[in-house]
Coordinates of all heavy atoms in Angstrom, one line a residue:
M1 N -18.8 38.9 24.9 CA -18.2 37.7 25.3 C -16.8 38.1 25.9 O -16.1 38.9 25.4 CB -17.9 36.9 24.0 CG -17.1 35.7 24.3 SD -16.4 34.7 22.9 CE -17.7 34.6 21.8
K2 N -16.6 37.5 27.0 CA -15.3 37.7 27.7 C -14.3 36.6 27.4 O -14.7 35.5 27.3 CB -15.5 37.8 29.2 CG -16.2 39.0 29.7 CD -16.1 39.1 31.2 CE -16.8 40.4 31.6 NZ -16.8 40.5 33.1
R3 N -13.1 37.0 27.2 CA -12.1 36.0 26.8 C -11.0 36.1 27.9 O -10.5 37.1 28.2 CB -11.5 36.4 25.5 CG -10.7 35.3 24.9 CD -10.4 35.7 23.5 NE -9.7 34.5 22.9 CZ -9.2 34.6 21.7 NH1 -9.2 35.7 21.0 NH2 -8.6 33.5 21.2
R4 N -10.7 34.9 28.4 CA -9.6 34.9 29.5 C -8.3 34.5 28.8 O -8.2 33.6 28.0 CB -9.9 33.8 30.5 CG -10.7 34.3 31.6 CD -10.9 33.2 32.6 NE -10.0 33.4 33.7 CZ -10.0 32.6 34.8 NH1 -10.8 31.6 34.8 NH2 -9.1 32.8 35.7
K5 N -7.3 35.2 29.2 CA -5.9 34.8 28.7 C -5.3 33.9 29.8 O -5.4 34.1 31.0 CB -5.1 36.1 28.5 CG -5.5 36.9 27.4 CD -4.5 38.0 27.1 CE -4.8 38.7 25.9 NZ -3.8 39.7 25.6
A6 N -4.5 33.0 29.3 CA -3.9 32.1 30.3 C -2.6 32.7 30.8 O -1.9 33.5 30.1 CB -3.5 30.8 29.6
M7 N -2.3 32.5 32.0 CA -1.1 33.0 32.7 C -0.1 31.8 32.6 O -0.4 30.7 32.9 CB -1.3 33.3 34.1 CG -2.3 34.5 34.3 SD -1.6 36.0 33.8 CE -0.5 36.4 35.2
K8 N 1.1 32.1 32.1 CA 2.1 31.1 32.0 C 3.3 31.5 32.9 O 3.8 32.6 32.9 CB 2.6 31.1 30.5 CG 3.6 30.0 30.2 CD 3.9 30.1 28.7 CE 4.8 28.9 28.3 NZ 5.1 29.0 26.9
A9 N 3.7 30.5 33.7 CA 4.8 30.7 34.6 C 6.0 30.0 34.1 O 5.9 28.9 33.6 CB 4.4 30.2 36.0
F10 N 7.1 30.6 34.3 CA 8.4 30.0 33.9 C 9.5 30.5 34.8 O 9.4 31.6 35.4 CB 8.7 30.2 32.4 CG 8.9 31.7 32.1 CD1 10.1 32.3 32.2 CD2 7.8 32.4 31.6 CE1 10.3 33.6 31.9 CE2 8.0 33.7 31.2 CZ 9.2 34.3 31.4
S11 N 10.5 29.7 34.9 CA 11.7 30.1 35.6 C 12.8 30.2 34.6 O 12.9 29.3 33.7 CB 12.0 29.1 36.7 OG 13.2 29.5 37.4
S12 N 13.6 31.2 34.6 CA 14.6 31.4 33.6 C 16.0 31.7 34.2 O 16.1 32.3 35.3 CB 14.2 32.5 32.6 OG 15.2 32.8 31.7
K13 N 17.0 31.3 33.5 CA 18.3 31.8 33.9 C 18.6 33.0 33.0 O 18.8 32.9 31.8 CB 19.3 30.7 33.5 CG 20.7 30.9 34.2 CD 21.5 29.6 34.0 CE 22.8 29.8 34.8 NZ 23.7 28.7 34.6
W14 N 18.4 34.2 33.6 CA 18.4 35.4 32.8 C 19.7 35.8 32.2 O 19.8 36.7 31.4 CB 17.9 36.5 33.7 CG 16.4 36.4 33.9 CD1 15.8 35.9 35.1 CD2 15.4 36.8 33.0 NE1 14.4 35.9 34.9 CE2 14.2 36.4 33.7 CE3 15.4 37.3 31.7 CZ2 12.9 36.7 33.0 CZ3 14.1 37.5 31.1 CH2 12.9 37.2 31.8
C15 N 20.8 35.1 32.6 CA 22.1 35.4 32.0 C 22.1 34.9 30.5 O 23.0 35.4 29.7 CB 23.2 34.7 32.7 SG 23.5 35.4 34.4
E16 N 21.3 34.0 30.2 CA 21.2 33.5 28.8 C 19.9 34.0 28.2 O 19.0 34.3 28.8 CB 21.2 32.0 28.9 CG 22.3 31.4 29.6 CD 22.1 29.9 29.9 OE1 21.1 29.3 29.5 OE2 23.0 29.3 30.6
A17 N 20.0 34.1 26.9 CA 18.8 34.5 26.1 C 17.6 33.5 26.4 O 17.9 32.3 26.4 CB 19.1 34.7 24.7
F18 N 16.4 34.0 26.6 CA 15.3 33.2 26.8 C 14.8 32.7 25.4 O 14.6 33.5 24.5 CB 14.2 34.0 27.5 CG 13.1 33.1 28.0 CD1 13.3 32.2 29.1 CD2 11.8 33.3 27.5 CE1 12.2 31.5 29.5 CE2 10.8 32.5 27.9 CZ 11.0 31.6 28.9
S19 N 14.6 31.4 25.3 CA 14.2 30.9 24.0 C 12.7 31.1 23.7 O 11.8 30.3 24.0 CB 14.5 29.4 23.9 OG 13.8 28.7 24.9
T20 N 12.4 32.3 23.2 CA 11.0 32.6 22.9 C 11.0 33.7 21.8 O 12.1 34.3 21.5 CB 10.2 33.2 24.1 OG1 8.8 33.3 23.7 CG2 10.8 34.5 24.6
Y21 N 9.9 33.9 21.1 CA 9.9 34.9 20.1 C 9.9 36.3 20.8 O 9.4 36.5 21.9 CB 8.6 34.8 19.3 CG 8.6 33.6 18.4 CD1 7.8 32.5 18.7 CD2 9.4 33.5 17.3 CE1 7.8 31.4 17.9 CE2 9.4 32.4 16.5 CZ 8.6 31.3 16.8 OH 8.6 30.2 16.0
P22 N 10.5 37.3 20.1 CA 10.4 38.6 20.7 C 9.0 39.1 20.8 O 8.1 38.7 20.0 CB 11.2 39.5 19.7 CG 12.0 38.5 18.9 CD 11.3 37.2 18.9
R23 N 8.8 40.0 21.8 CA 7.4 40.6 22.0 C 6.3 39.6 22.2 O 5.3 39.7 21.6 CB 7.1 41.5 20.8 CG 8.2 42.5 20.5 CD 8.4 43.5 21.5 NE 9.4 44.5 21.2 CZ 10.4 44.9 22.1 NH1 10.4 44.4 23.3 NH2 11.3 45.8 21.7
T24 N 6.6 38.6 23.1 CA 5.6 37.6 23.3 C 4.8 37.8 24.6 O 3.6 37.4 24.6 CB 6.4 36.2 23.5 OG1 7.2 36.0 22.3 CG2 5.4 35.1 23.7
Y25 N 5.3 38.4 25.6 CA 4.7 38.4 26.9 C 4.2 39.8 27.2 O 4.7 40.9 26.9 CB 5.6 38.0 28.0 CG 6.0 36.5 27.9 CD1 7.1 36.1 27.2 CD2 5.2 35.5 28.3 CE1 7.5 34.8 27.0 CE2 5.5 34.2 28.2 CZ 6.6 33.8 27.5 OH 6.9 32.5 27.3
D26 N 3.0 39.9 28.0 CA 2.4 41.1 28.4 C 2.9 41.5 29.8 O 3.0 42.7 30.1 CB 0.9 41.0 28.6 CG 0.2 40.8 27.2 OD1 0.6 41.5 26.3 OD2 -0.6 40.0 27.1
L27 N 3.3 40.5 30.6 CA 3.7 40.8 32.0 C 4.9 39.9 32.4 O 4.8 38.7 32.1 CB 2.5 40.6 32.9 CG 2.8 40.7 34.4 CD1 3.1 42.1 34.8 CD2 1.6 40.2 35.2
I28 N 5.8 40.4 33.1 CA 6.9 39.6 33.7 C 6.9 40.0 35.2 O 6.9 41.1 35.6 CB 8.3 39.9 33.1 CG1 8.3 39.5 31.7 CG2 9.3 39.1 33.9 CD1 9.6 39.9 31.0
H29 N 6.8 38.9 36.1 CA 6.9 39.1 37.5 C 8.2 38.6 37.9 O 8.5 37.4 37.9 CB 5.8 38.4 38.2 CG 5.8 38.6 39.7 ND1 5.7 37.6 40.6 CD2 5.9 39.8 40.4 CE1 5.7 38.1 41.8 NE2 5.8 39.4 41.7
A30 N 9.1 39.5 38.2 CA 10.5 39.2 38.5 C 10.8 39.2 40.0 O 11.0 40.3 40.6 CB 11.5 40.1 37.8
M31 N 10.7 38.1 40.6 CA 10.9 38.0 42.1 C 12.4 37.6 42.4 O 12.8 36.5 42.0 CB 10.0 37.0 42.7 CG 10.1 36.9 44.2 SD 8.8 35.9 44.9 CE 7.5 37.1 45.1
L32 N 13.1 38.5 42.9 CA 14.6 38.3 43.2 C 15.4 38.0 42.0 O 16.4 37.4 42.1 CB 14.8 37.3 44.3 CG 14.1 37.6 45.7 CD1 14.3 36.5 46.6 CD2 14.8 38.9 46.3
T33 N 14.9 38.3 40.8 CA 15.6 37.9 39.6 C 16.9 38.6 39.4 O 17.9 38.0 39.2 CB 14.7 38.3 38.4 OG1 13.5 37.5 38.5 CG2 15.3 37.9 37.1
V34 N 16.9 39.9 39.5 CA 18.1 40.7 39.3 C 19.2 40.4 40.4 O 20.3 40.2 40.1 CB 17.8 42.2 39.2 CG1 19.1 43.0 39.0 CG2 16.8 42.5 38.1
C35 N 18.7 40.4 41.6 CA 19.7 40.1 42.7 C 20.3 38.7 42.6 O 21.5 38.6 42.7 CB 19.0 40.3 44.0 SG 20.0 40.0 45.5
S36 N 19.5 37.7 42.4 CA 20.0 36.3 42.4 C 20.9 36.1 41.2 O 21.9 35.4 41.2 CB 18.9 35.3 42.5 OG 18.0 35.4 41.4
A37 N 20.5 36.7 40.0 CA 21.2 36.5 38.8 C 22.6 37.2 38.9 O 23.6 36.7 38.5 CB 20.5 37.0 37.6
Y38 N 22.6 38.3 39.6 CA 23.8 39.1 39.7 C 24.8 38.4 40.7 O 26.0 38.3 40.4 CB 23.5 40.5 40.2 CG 24.7 41.4 40.4 CD1 25.4 41.9 39.2 CD2 25.2 41.7 41.6 CE1 26.5 42.6 39.4 CE2 26.3 42.5 41.7 CZ 27.0 42.9 40.6 OH 28.1 43.7 40.7
T39 N 24.3 37.9 41.8 CA 25.1 37.4 42.9 C 25.6 35.9 42.5 O 26.7 35.6 42.7 CB 24.5 37.4 44.2 OG1 23.2 36.7 44.2 CG2 24.3 38.8 44.7
K40 N 24.7 35.1 42.0 CA 25.0 33.7 41.7 C 25.8 33.6 40.4 O 26.7 32.9 40.3 CB 23.7 32.9 41.7 CG 23.1 32.7 43.0 CD 21.8 31.8 42.8 CE 21.0 31.7 44.1 NZ 19.8 31.1 43.9
D41 N 25.2 34.2 39.4 CA 25.8 34.0 38.0 C 26.7 35.1 37.5 O 27.2 35.1 36.4 CB 24.6 33.8 37.0 CG 23.7 32.6 37.4 OD1 24.3 31.6 37.9 OD2 22.5 32.8 37.2
K42 N 26.8 36.2 38.3 CA 27.6 37.4 37.9 C 27.1 38.0 36.6 O 27.9 38.3 35.8 CB 29.1 37.0 37.8 CG 29.7 36.5 39.1 CD 29.6 37.5 40.3 CE 30.2 36.9 41.5 NZ 29.7 37.5 42.7
C43 N 25.8 38.0 36.5 CA 25.2 38.7 35.3 C 25.2 40.2 35.4 O 25.3 40.7 36.5 CB 23.8 38.2 35.1 SG 23.6 36.5 34.8
N44 N 25.1 40.8 34.3 CA 25.1 42.3 34.2 C 23.6 42.7 34.3 O 22.8 42.1 33.5 CB 25.7 42.7 32.9 CG 26.0 44.2 32.9 OD1 25.5 44.9 33.8 ND2 26.7 44.6 32.0
A45 N 23.2 43.6 35.2 CA 21.8 44.0 35.3 C 21.3 44.5 34.0 O 20.1 44.3 33.6 CB 21.7 45.0 36.4
E46 N 22.1 45.2 33.2 CA 21.7 45.8 32.0 C 21.3 44.7 31.0 O 20.3 44.8 30.3 CB 22.8 46.7 31.3 CG 23.1 48.0 32.1 CD 24.1 47.8 33.2 OE1 24.5 46.6 33.5 OE2 24.6 48.8 33.7
D47 N 22.0 43.6 31.0 CA 21.7 42.5 30.1 C 20.4 41.9 30.4 O 19.6 41.5 29.6 CB 22.8 41.5 30.1 CG 24.1 42.0 29.5 OD1 24.1 43.0 28.7 OD2 25.2 41.5 29.8
I48 N 20.1 41.7 31.7 CA 18.9 41.1 32.2 C 17.7 42.0 31.7 O 16.7 41.5 31.2 CB 18.9 41.0 33.7 CG1 20.0 40.0 34.1 CG2 17.5 40.5 34.2 CD1 20.3 39.9 35.6
L49 N 17.8 43.3 31.9 CA 16.8 44.3 31.6 C 16.6 44.3 30.1 O 15.4 44.4 29.6 CB 17.0 45.6 32.1 CG 17.0 45.8 33.6 CD1 17.5 47.1 34.1 CD2 15.7 45.5 34.2
L50 N 17.6 44.2 29.3 CA 17.5 44.2 27.8 C 16.8 42.9 27.4 O 16.0 43.0 26.4 CB 18.8 44.3 27.2 CG 19.5 45.7 27.2 CD1 20.9 45.7 26.7 CD2 18.6 46.7 26.4
E51 N 17.0 41.8 28.0 CA 16.4 40.6 27.7 C 14.9 40.6 28.0 O 14.0 40.2 27.2 CB 17.0 39.4 28.4 CG 16.4 38.0 28.1 CD 16.5 37.6 26.6 OE1 17.2 38.2 25.8 OE2 15.7 36.7 26.2
M52 N 14.6 41.2 29.2 CA 13.2 41.4 29.5 C 12.5 42.3 28.5 O 11.3 42.0 28.1 CB 13.0 42.0 30.9 CG 13.4 41.1 32.0 SD 13.2 41.9 33.6 CE 13.6 40.6 34.7
D53 N 13.1 43.4 28.1 CA 12.6 44.3 27.1 C 12.3 43.6 25.8 O 11.4 43.8 25.1 CB 13.5 45.5 26.9 CG 12.9 46.5 26.0 OD1 11.8 47.0 26.3 OD2 13.5 46.9 25.0
R54 N 13.2 42.7 25.4 CA 13.1 42.0 24.2 C 11.9 41.1 24.1 O 11.2 41.0 23.1 CB 14.3 41.1 23.9 CG 14.3 40.4 22.6 CD 15.5 39.4 22.5 NE 15.3 38.2 23.3 CZ 14.6 37.1 22.9 NH1 14.0 37.1 21.8 NH2 14.5 36.1 23.7
I55 N 11.5 40.4 25.2 CA 10.4 39.5 25.2 C 9.1 40.1 25.6 O 8.0 39.5 25.4 CB 10.7 38.2 26.1 CG1 10.8 38.6 27.6 CG2 11.9 37.5 25.6 CD1 10.9 37.4 28.4
L56 N 9.1 41.4 26.1 CA 7.9 42.1 26.4 C 7.2 42.7 25.2 O 8.0 43.3 24.3 CB 8.1 43.2 27.5 CG 8.1 42.8 28.9 CD1 8.4 44.0 29.7 CD2 6.7 42.2 29.3
R57 N 5.9 42.7 25.2 CA 5.2 43.5 24.2 C 5.4 45.0 24.4 O 5.8 45.4 25.5 CB 3.7 43.1 24.2 CG 3.5 41.7 23.7 CD 2.1 41.4 23.4 NE 2.0 40.1 22.8 CZ 1.1 39.3 23.1 NH1 0.2 39.5 24.0 NH2 1.1 38.1 22.5
P58 N 5.2 45.9 23.4 CA 5.4 47.3 23.6 C 4.7 47.9 24.8 O 5.3 48.8 25.5 CB 5.0 47.9 22.3 CG 5.2 46.8 21.3 CD 4.9 45.6 22.0
E59 N 3.6 47.5 25.1 CA 2.8 48.0 26.3 C 2.9 47.1 27.5 O 2.1 47.2 28.5 CB 1.4 48.3 26.0 CG 1.2 49.3 24.9 CD 1.8 50.6 25.2 OE1 1.6 51.1 26.4 OE2 2.4 51.3 24.3
G60 N 3.9 46.2 27.5 CA 4.0 45.2 28.6 C 4.6 45.8 29.9 O 5.1 47.0 29.9
S61 N 4.5 45.1 30.9 CA 5.0 45.6 32.3 C 5.8 44.5 33.0 O 5.7 43.3 32.7 CB 3.8 45.8 33.2 OG 2.9 46.8 32.6
V62 N 6.7 45.0 33.8 CA 7.5 44.1 34.7 C 7.2 44.5 36.1 O 7.2 45.7 36.5 CB 9.0 44.3 34.4 CG1 9.8 43.4 35.3 CG2 9.3 44.0 33.0
I63 N 7.0 43.5 37.0 CA 6.8 43.8 38.4 C 8.1 43.2 39.1 O 8.4 42.0 38.9 CB 5.6 43.0 39.0 CG1 4.3 43.6 38.3 CG2 5.5 43.2 40.5 CD1 3.1 42.7 38.6
F64 N 8.8 44.1 39.7 CA 10.1 43.7 40.4 C 9.8 43.5 41.9 O 9.3 44.5 42.5 CB 11.2 44.7 40.2 CG 11.7 44.8 38.8 CD1 11.3 45.8 37.9 CD2 12.7 43.9 38.4 CE1 11.8 45.8 36.6 CE2 13.2 43.9 37.1 CZ 12.8 44.9 36.2
C65 N 10.2 42.4 42.4 CA 10.2 42.2 43.9 C 11.6 41.8 44.2 O 12.1 40.7 43.9 CB 9.3 41.1 44.3 SG 7.6 41.4 43.8
D66 N 12.4 42.7 44.8 CA 13.8 42.5 45.0 C 14.3 43.3 46.2 O 13.5 44.0 46.8 CB 14.6 42.9 43.7 CG 15.8 41.9 43.5 OD1 16.5 41.6 44.4 OD2 15.9 41.5 42.3
Q67 N 15.6 43.3 46.5 CA 16.1 44.1 47.5 C 16.1 45.6 47.1 O 16.2 45.9 45.9 CB 17.6 43.7 47.8 CG 17.7 42.3 48.3 CD 19.1 41.8 48.4 OE1 20.0 42.5 48.1 NE2 19.3 40.6 48.9
V68 N 16.0 46.5 48.1 CA 15.9 47.9 47.9 C 17.0 48.5 47.0 O 16.8 49.2 46.1 CB 15.7 48.7 49.2 CG1 15.7 50.2 49.0 CG2 14.5 48.2 49.9
D69 N 18.3 48.1 47.4 CA 19.4 48.6 46.6 C 19.4 48.2 45.2 O 19.7 48.9 44.3 CB 20.7 48.3 47.3 CG 20.9 46.8 47.5 OD1 19.9 46.1 47.6 OD2 22.1 46.3 47.5
V70 N 18.9 47.0 44.9 CA 18.8 46.5 43.6 C 17.7 47.2 42.8 O 17.8 47.6 41.7 CB 18.5 45.0 43.6 CG1 18.2 44.5 42.2 CG2 19.7 44.2 44.2
L71 N 16.6 47.5 43.5 CA 15.5 48.2 42.9 C 15.8 49.7 42.5 O 15.5 50.2 41.5 CB 14.2 48.2 43.8 CG 13.6 46.9 44.0 CD1 12.5 47.0 45.0 CD2 13.1 46.3 42.7
V72 N 16.7 50.3 43.3 CA 17.2 51.6 43.0 C 18.0 51.6 41.8 O 17.9 52.4 40.9 CB 18.0 52.2 44.2 CG1 18.7 53.5 43.8 CG2 17.0 52.5 45.4
K73 N 18.9 50.6 41.7 CA 19.7 50.5 40.5 C 18.9 50.2 39.2 O 19.1 50.8 38.2 CB 20.7 49.3 40.7 CG 21.7 49.2 39.5 CD 22.7 48.1 39.8 CE 23.6 47.9 38.6 NZ 24.7 46.9 38.8
V74 N 17.9 49.3 39.4 CA 17.0 49.0 38.2 C 16.2 50.2 37.8 O 16.1 50.5 36.6 CB 16.0 47.8 38.6 CG1 14.9 47.7 37.6 CG2 16.8 46.5 38.7
K75 N 15.8 51.0 38.7 CA 15.0 52.2 38.4 C 15.9 53.2 37.6 O 15.4 53.7 36.6 CB 14.5 52.9 39.7 CG 13.7 54.1 39.4 CD 13.2 54.7 40.7 CE 12.3 56.0 40.3 NZ 11.9 56.6 41.6
K76 N 17.2 53.3 38.0 CA 18.1 54.2 37.2 C 18.3 53.7 35.8 O 18.3 54.4 34.8 CB 19.4 54.3 37.9 CG 19.4 55.2 39.1 CD 20.8 55.2 39.7 CE 20.9 55.9 41.0 NZ 22.2 55.9 41.6
L77 N 18.5 52.4 35.7 CA 18.7 51.8 34.4 C 17.5 51.8 33.5 O 17.6 52.2 32.3 CB 19.1 50.3 34.5 CG 20.5 50.1 35.2 CD1 20.7 48.6 35.5 CD2 21.6 50.6 34.2
V78 N 16.3 51.6 34.0 CA 15.1 51.6 33.2 C 14.8 53.0 32.7 O 14.4 53.2 31.6 CB 13.9 51.0 34.0 CG1 12.6 51.2 33.3 CG2 14.1 49.5 34.2
S79 N 15.0 54.0 33.6 CA 14.7 55.4 33.2 C 15.6 55.8 32.1 O 15.3 56.6 31.2 CB 14.8 56.3 34.4 OG 16.1 56.3 34.9
S80 N 16.9 55.3 32.0 CA 17.8 55.6 31.0 C 17.5 54.9 29.7 O 17.9 55.3 28.6 CB 19.2 55.4 31.4 OG 19.5 54.1 31.6
M81 N 16.8 53.7 29.8 CA 16.5 52.9 28.6 C 15.4 53.5 27.8 O 15.3 53.4 26.6 CB 16.1 51.5 29.0 CG 17.3 50.7 29.5 SD 16.8 49.1 30.2 CE 16.2 48.2 28.7
R82 N 14.4 54.1 28.4 CA 13.2 54.5 27.7 C 13.2 56.0 27.6 O 13.5 56.8 28.2 CB 12.0 54.1 28.4 CG 11.9 52.6 28.5 CD 10.7 52.1 28.0 NE 10.8 50.6 28.0 CZ 9.9 49.9 27.4 NH1 8.8 50.4 26.9 NH2 10.0 48.6 27.4

């Protein structure tokens, strides 16, 4: 028997904690999340990544679609986190 999991889409203001239980999601697709949160809301990229880590399950994944300079910064931060 095959079981389908539902995909849930949401938009979040990443400067604030996301109101969900920890370790809830398997996948986060972050499109321009870090760049827009940093430029519009003056958020810290480390805080955004820590919040993503909090809501992801241990084997969860994040797909980043952002500007190249932001992706380079995210790559450095993520490699130091794990």
